């Protein structure tokens, strides 16, 4: 028996631990920072509708597939395919995932670093008494700089590394349980404030009123990319986490709970941000800076805004952290199990390489703004390649693997815990992953990338 077949795998200790870790991975900057600005860039309501459709018809089935693969194989993203499909090229799906993990954590740590700067700004009461222009100016000056954004990125990567080195059980499980609910409460409070601003109706309308003429084929691809990004899908994060889940857990209900939590928080973030966007005359298409210029405007108009700003940015930083560790873990589990590195060595090596790529992303807003590839900056290039290309491609291959390689009876055994659970959703799930998801992903992909024209 190979060493990794022995029952020594670190694992989650409870149902709630699994949910907290998986939801911790899913809920992050993707929901609060990325979702509102991607909605803004793609015209609002119609985009939201397509996004929700993708979450249910593609996201949930892919998530179940990832959990099933990981738990069945008890291995990392690449090793799982090697084990379930020996001597086939399927392991390449895991390779795509590990590559995506490098790219995503590189730009993710840039933005996560921004949240740390904003904790300090909140702490030193930097938003008080400032108007919209000054608050935008603060963000402009900060994020186009060199030293400060790099400093915070480094700190953030250091903390991520430190937690991942500690392993699965003894780290984040305990904290996410307390912190995630707190984040929800905070967002609800901010939503209420935002909804009571003058002109909030316009913002809510922008988010919920579908205007299909604003929806482009690139927008539909962006909705798919956002669905994958937000649910942490397509790169083996949930294969890796699935491998730490007990054989007694109900994977189907885990998927439902994680998806609901993730979607709810994205919607709340949208409801918090868009009314304020219109009330303060901010451009909804202002891109990656949207949360950082919108929310401080609300905070400085709120009673107790000082504390709300502080708590909000702390929680945003934590949400980012519970996601970033799940991204780093994909690489670490691979290096550890397939290349036999120690967890510590694997983590340090991965973190160093990712940080070096991350520096390029951070500087692409300032010193390296003019360095572009295919007319895009490093930041946008890594985000686009990972989110809109690698994640959907990984997702496509994952559903094809389950639907057409592993087959429905072996999959049924895994998701029904050897036929001890009722899985009434199973026929619908198989139908979605065999036909609907692959065709939909392929079409969106080819149109979105411009290989096909309507
Ligand atoms: N889902 C995370 C977020 O929304 C980001 C992430 C993407 C995490 C891919 C893991 C894998 O912030």
């Amino acid at each position: 028996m190979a060493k990794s077949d022995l029952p020594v795998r670190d694992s989650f200790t409870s149902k709630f631990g699994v949910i907290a870790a998986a939801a911790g991975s899913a809920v992050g900057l993707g929901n609060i920072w990325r979702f509102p600005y991607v909605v803004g860039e793609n015209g609002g309501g119609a985009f939201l509708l397509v996004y929700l459709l993708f979450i249910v018809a593609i996201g949930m089935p892919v998530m179940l597939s990832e959990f099933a693969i990981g738990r069945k194989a008890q291995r990392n993203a690449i090793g799982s395919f090697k084990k379930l499909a020996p001597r086939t090229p399927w392991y390449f799906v895991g390779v795509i995932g590990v590559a995506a993990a490098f790219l995503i954590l590189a730009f993710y740590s840039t933005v996560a670093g921004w949240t740390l700067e904003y904790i300090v700004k909140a702490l030193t009461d930097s938003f008080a008494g400032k108007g919209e222009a000054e608050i935008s100016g603060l963000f402009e000056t900060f994020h186009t700089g060199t030293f400060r954004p790099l400093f915070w990125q480094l700190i953030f990567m250091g903390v991520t590394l430190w937690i991942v080195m500690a392993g699965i059980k003894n780290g984040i499980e305990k904290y996410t349980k307390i912190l995630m609910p707190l984040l929800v409460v905070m967002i609800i409070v901010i939503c209420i404030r935002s909804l009571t601003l003058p002109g909030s109706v316009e913002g809510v309308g922008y988010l919920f009123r579908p205007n299909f003429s604003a929806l482009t084929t690139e927008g539909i691809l962006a909705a798919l990319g956002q669905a994958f990004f937000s649910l942490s899908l397509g790169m083996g994060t949930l294969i890796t986490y699935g491998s730490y889940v007990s054989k007694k857990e109900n994977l189907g209900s885990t998927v439902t709970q994680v998806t609901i939590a993730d979607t709810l928080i994205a919607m709340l973030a949208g409801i918090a941000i868009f009314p304020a966007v219109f009330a303060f005359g901010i451009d909804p298409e202002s891109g990656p800076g949207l949360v950082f210029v919108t929310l401080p405007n609300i905070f400085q108009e709120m009673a107790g805004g000082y504390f709300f700003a502080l708590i909000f940015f702390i929680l945003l930083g934590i949400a980012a952290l519970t996601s970033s560790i799940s991204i780093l873990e994909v690489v670490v589990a691979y290096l550890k199990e397939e290349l036999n590195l120690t967890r510590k060595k694997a983590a340090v090596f991965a973190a160093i390489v990712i940080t070096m790529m991350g520096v390029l992303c951070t500087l692409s807003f300032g010193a390296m703004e003019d360095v572009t590839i295919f007319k895009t900056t490093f930041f946008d290039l890594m985000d686009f390649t990972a989110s809109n290309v690698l994640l959907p491609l990984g997702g496509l291959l994952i559903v094809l693997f389950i639907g057409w390689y592993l087959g429905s009876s072996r999959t049924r055994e895994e998701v029904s815990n050897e036929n001890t659970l009722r899985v009434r959703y199973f026929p619908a799930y198989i139908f979605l992953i065999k036909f609907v998801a692959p065709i939909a992903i392929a079409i969106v992909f080819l149109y979105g990338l411009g290989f096909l024209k309507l």
Side-chain angles (χ1 to χ4, degrees):
M1 204 193 275
K3 188 162 145 257
S4 48
D5 287 339
L6 295 171
V8 289
R9 275 180 86 77
D10 204 354
S11 55
F12 297 121
T13 53
S14 64
K15 168 99 186 156
F16 198 64
V18 175
I19 304 276
S25 171
V27 176
L29 296 173
N31 305 60
I32 299 164
W33 158 73
R34 198 175 190 276
F35 174 75
Y37 96 74
V38 175
V39 172
E41 284 177 344
N42 290 288
F47 176 90
L48 180 66
L49 216 61
V50 177
Y51 171 77
L52 293 175
L53 188 76
F54 285 158
I55 289 283
V56 176
I58 301 177
M60 294 178 79
V62 173
M63 191 187 290
L64 185 62
S65 305
E66 287 205 28
F67 274 135
I69 291 171
R71 192 175 69 168
K72 189 166 177 60
Q74 297 284 299
R75 295 277 170 83
N76 61 84
I78 294 179
S80 285
F81 289 98
K82 286 191 176 159
K83 180 158 175 192
L84 299 179
R87 292 174 301 279
T88 67
W90 278 108
Y91 74 91
F92 196 70
V93 184
V95 176
I96 295 178
V98 172
F102 276 92
L103 298 182
I104 291 183
L105 195 48
F107 75 83
Y108 206 79
S109 58
T110 296
V111 182
W114 296 351
T115 68
L116 301 184
E117 166 79 13
Y118 269 66
I119 294 173
V120 175
K121 282 205 193 321
L123 200 62
T124 53
D125 211 4
S126 312
F127 313 124
K130 292 206 166 64
E132 198 280 313
E134 284 163 293
I135 286 176
S136 300
L138 277 183
F139 179 71
E140 225 13 67
T141 313
F142 160 67
H143 91 300
T144 57
T146 299
F147 175 74
R148 288 181 80 97
L150 285 181
F151 171 77
W152 289 121
Q153 178 172 40
L154 221 64
I155 299 281
F156 182 82
M157 282 304 295
V159 179
T160 304
L161 171 63
W162 178 69
I163 294 176
V164 170
M165 274 186 340
I168 306 304
K169 193 166 45 200
N170 301 322
I172 208 72
E173 205 177 319
K174 183 163 68 194
Y175 299 103
T176 40
K177 285 197 279 216
I178 311 162
L179 296 167
M180 298 316 288
L182 201 57
L183 180 71
V184 178
V185 173
M186 282 301 306
I187 296 189
I188 291 174
V189 173
I190 298 164
C191 278
I192 294 171
R193 173 65 262 221
S194 189
L195 287 172
T196 51
L197 288 168
S200 66
V201 183
E202 206 184 332
V204 178
Y206 181 81
L207 183 60
F208 290 110
R209 206 178 307 120
N211 168 11
F212 285 97
S213 63
L215 196 65
T216 59
T217 47
E218 291 85 15
I220 296 175
L221 177 64
L224 186 68
Q226 176 62 24
F228 274 96
F229 187 87
S230 189
L231 291 174
S232 303
L233 299 176
M235 57 175 253
T237 309
L238 298 181
I239 295 180
T240 309
Y241 272 18
S243 76
Y244 307 131
V245 174
S246 140
K247 293 280 186 191
K248 292 192 208 76
E249 297 305 345
N250 183 338
L251 295 181
S253 74
T254 306
V255 167
T256 310
Q257 289 170 36
V258 171
T259 306
I260 290 175
D262 188 71
T263 308
L264 209 67
I265 295 193
M267 304 289 283
L268 287 173
I271 295 171
I273 284 172
F274 285 108
V277 162
F278 288 95
F280 295 105
I282 296 164
D283 180 5
E285 294 182 30
S286 39
L290 192 62
V291 219
F292 295 95
V293 298
T294 311
L295 290 188
N297 277 301
I298 304 189
F299 292 131
Q300 70 89 34
E301 284 223 331
M302 275 169 94
Y306 174 82
F307 291 101
F308 284 121
L310 188 58
I311 297 171
F312 176 79
F313 285 113
I314 291 175
L315 291 170
L316 187 58
I318 290 164
L321 189 64
T322 58
S323 299
S324 67
I325 54 173
S326 75
I327 306 174
L328 189 58
E329 180 63 25
V330 170
V331 184
V332 170
Y334 159 67
L335 294 173
K336 179 168 160 279
E337 292 173 5
E338 305 302 308
L339 304 183
N340 287 320
L341 295 185
T342 61
R343 170 169 282 276
K344 194 170 160 217
K345 279 206 184 102
V348 171
F349 170 76
I352 289 177
V353 177
I354 290 169
T355 306
M356 288 182 343
M357 292 162 60
V359 168
L360 299 178
C361 294
T362 299
L363 294 183
S364 74
F365 289 99
M368 291 174 63
E369 191 181 21
D370 299 325
V371 185
T372 56
I373 302 174
F374 305 125
K375 296 205 195 89
T376 40
T377 61
F378 282 112
F379 184 96
D380 289 332
L381 187 70
M382 291 198 199
D383 186 355
F384 184 88
T385 313
S387 314
N388 294 2
V389 181
L390 298 180
L391 297 186
L393 186 63
L396 172 65
L397 295 171
I398 286 166
V399 291
L400 289 177
F401 178 76
I402 292 259
W404 300 95
Y405 182 87
L406 200 64
S408 67
S409 70
R410 287 215 277 166
T411 307
R412 190 188 184 105
E413 262 167 40
E414 187 58 41
V415 299
S416 67
N417 300 356
E418 309 296 325
N419 300 319
T420 58
L421 286 179
R422 287 180 67 182
V423 283
R424 265 172 300 186
Y425 61 80
F426 196 77
Y429 161 67
I430 284 293
F431 178 71
L432 286 173
I433 61 160
K434 266 191 135 148
F435 305 107
V436 179
I439 295 172
I441 298 173
I443 293 177
V444 171
F445 215 48
L446 295 175
Y447 277 110
L449 294 178
F451 291 130
L452 288 176
K453 288 260 179 299
L454 279 173

